[in-house]
Amino acid sequence: MVISHSVNLQPYNTFGVSAVAAHFANIQKREELEEAITFAEVEGLPTLVLAGGSNILFVHDFPGVILHIGNSGIRWLGGFPGSTQRVRIAAGENWHSFTKLCLDKRLYGLENLALIPGTVGAAPIQNIGAYGVELADFFVELSVYDRQSRSWEVMNKSQCDFAYRDSVFKKAGKGRYIVFDVTLELSGIWKPNLNYAALGNYLGGGKPDSKMVFDAVCAIRRSKLPDPSRLGNAGSFFKNPIISDEKFTVLSKQMPDIPRFDIEEKGLVKIPAAWLLDRLGWKGGSRGAASVHRNHALVLVNPGGATGEDILLLAQEMSSSVLENFGIALEPEVQII
Ligand SMILES: Cc1cc2nc3c(=O)[nH]c(=O)nc-3n(C[C@H](O)[C@H](O)[C@H](O)COP(=O)(O)OP(=O)(O)OC[C@H]3O[C@@H](n4cnc5c(N)ncnc54)[C@H](O)[C@@H]3O)c2cc1C
């Protein structure tokens, strides 16, 4: 395994901000991960797992070892013909390419999660979700290196403790688990999930096939979200806040048009952070070289030349304004390093 030194991370994060990592290890095999961790421990350095860099904001240089997970391989594990199929995917595989492969193989379920940037290994970290579907819906198990027990483990769905943009991997000590492969179960029987209104409306009723849903999701995403290869961003910067029914009743008296999404937990509702930010006029706003996308108040962008600190200051100002005006503390979805 090769460890490079003084590596600029600008090409490795979709915000496109500069930050220098003291050491950078390209990991393809399990032994290479263990070697890189030993190197960091011997040198007394912190580590950070970095994959596609589409959910990370670097605010400073990183003084330790970047563990860049780039393993590859997809293993079809079989299943019940015409019903379900299990598949084990290496963490370094690209998520969107994998959803396209499933579509081509007539294995269904991931259409609504098409075009989410990043890798398969990062998908369980925040339980990626879009258009009424989340990774947990198809999840079977994953292989991780547990730095606490210094061993390779297999974790099932309940051990992963998935929730809205959350999992045990975020709750456990940062960097404790390093995901190496993920096993999913997909259906061989097509059943569209059109519960999300924007998707159903786009398709306009009828009985869409899987390719129509896949293409619709890609088209809606392309029309709403900036392409990170053209305009630096990390998708939604904040999570949608979950508040109590009582709090919602108070807010809806002030703002009768405030939207709500019902969630499984009783007595709680989810409200769109973008709506709150939009109401405060943040769409298209800017501070220094960082700005808010003109069509989407939840997407912070780097039009060129912004530092991680510029983006963080803008995000802090936005969340303070939501707290002052609505009494709601926004939580970042992006990992701030
Ligand atoms: C334009 C755009 C749209 C987006 N839309 C969505 C969306 O609709 N829904 C959604 O959920 N997300 C969305 N995201 C966020 C992002 O795509 C996902 O969070 C994605 O899973 C991040 O993958 P990554 O490989 O880039 O991870 P990185 O950004 O490299 O890492 C993210 C976090 O996961 C950790 N991590 C990464 N890989 C591993 C591993 N193998 N083991 C342990 N920890 C690991 C990192 O340490 C870091 O804390 C969007 C981002 C962009 C830029």
Side-chain angles (χ1 to χ4, degrees):
M1 180 211 33
V2 180
I3 297 188
S4 313
H5 308 283
S6 295
V7 174
N8 191 338
L9 300 174
Q10 194 170 24
Y12 296 99
N13 70 95
T14 60
F15 265 124
V17 297
S18 275
V20 175
H23 311 278
F24 187 101
N26 244 316
I27 314 282
Q28 313 273 342
K29 298 184 191 142
R30 288 185 174 208
E31 310 83 82
E32 292 176 338
L33 178 61
E34 291 176 43
E35 260 177 67
I37 290 172
T38 305
F39 168 80
E41 284 172 356
V42 168
E43 300 291 326
L45 295 168
T47 58
L48 173 72
V49 177
L50 177 64
S54 63
N55 208 24
I56 268 187
L57 175 64
F58 289 103
V59 178
H60 300 293
D61 290 342
F62 186 68
V65 184
I66 294 285
L67 306 171
H68 185 52
I69 307 294
N71 59 334
S72 59
I74 296 174
R75 218 171 126 208
W76 303 95
L77 301 174
F80 304 100
S83 62
T84 57
Q85 161 95 46
R86 286 191 176 190
V87 52
R88 182 166 303 142
I89 320 108
E93 292 284 346
N94 177 272
W95 174 261
H96 174 67
S97 308
F98 176 67
T99 63
K100 176 80 177 57
L101 182 66
C102 293
L103 182 78
D104 295 343
K105 283 187 161 283
R106 295 171 192 271
L107 287 169
Y108 308 119
L110 303 184
E111 306 75 26
N112 296 36
L113 300 178
L115 219 61
I116 297 182
T119 59
V120 169
I125 308 302
Q126 71 156 359
N127 181 24
I128 57 168
Y131 300 97
V133 171
E134 56 184 22
L135 180 86
D137 301 336
F138 311 95
F139 182 87
V140 178
E141 60 184 29
L142 51 71
S143 311
V144 281
Y145 185 72
D146 179 356
R147 294 196 57 184
Q148 195 164 297
S149 63
R150 304 176 83 89
S151 62
W152 289 93
E153 310 281 349
V154 172
M155 293 172 72
N156 63 25
K157 189 167 167 180
S158 70
Q159 288 170 304
C160 294
D161 202 10
F162 291 123
Y164 166 64
R165 298 299 172 275
D166 208 5
S167 69
V168 71
F169 309 107
K170 279 190 165 182
K171 289 173 213 146
K174 269 219 156 85
R176 172 173 170 186
Y177 296 109
I178 301 169
V179 178
F180 223 65
D181 59 53
V182 178
T183 302
L184 303 180
E185 186 169 84
L186 303 168
S187 175
I189 298 167
W190 169 239
K191 192 168 165 250
N193 181 334
L194 304 178
N195 296 336
Y196 198 86
L199 183 57
N201 295 342
Y202 184 93
L203 286 159
K207 285 189 179 164
D209 65 22
S210 57
K211 182 155 185 327
M212 286 161 81
V213 175
F214 185 94
D215 289 345
V217 168
C218 293
I220 299 171
R221 292 184 69 97
R222 285 195 179 105
S223 71
K224 278 171 70 176
L225 292 166
D227 175 355
S229 66
R230 293 177 186 195
L231 182 61
N233 77 93
S236 303
F237 196 92
F238 300 102
K239 291 187 192 182
N240 288 325
I242 293 176
I243 60 172
S244 66
D245 269 334
E246 293 78 32
K247 171 94 187 161
F248 183 82
T249 308
V250 173
L251 288 175
S252 59
K253 280 194 183 128
Q254 295 165 17
M255 307 173 288
D257 52 340
I258 184 171
R260 61 177 280 165
F261 303 114
D262 292 327
I263 56 170
E264 271 173 30
E265 289 91 337
K266 279 214 172 94
L268 298 174
V269 293
K270 189 158 78 176
I271 54 171
W275 190 89
L276 299 173
L277 290 164
D278 201 9
R279 205 176 155 98
L280 296 174
W282 277 109
K283 221 184 251 176
S286 63
R287 293 293 175 272
S291 46
V292 182
H293 193 263
R294 63 180 187 284
N295 298 333
H296 206 316
L298 207 47
V299 179
L300 276 71
V301 300
N302 173 11
T307 62
E309 212 162 12
D310 291 334
I311 295 168
L312 181 62
L313 286 173
L314 173 59
Q316 283 169 342
E317 209 178 311
M318 292 165 80
S319 59
S320 301
S321 70
V322 170
L323 188 61
E324 272 165 35
N325 286 279
F326 307 119
I328 294 174
L330 290 183
E331 205 185 311
E333 181 179 314
V334 171
Q335 306 289 301
I336 296 160
I337 308 292

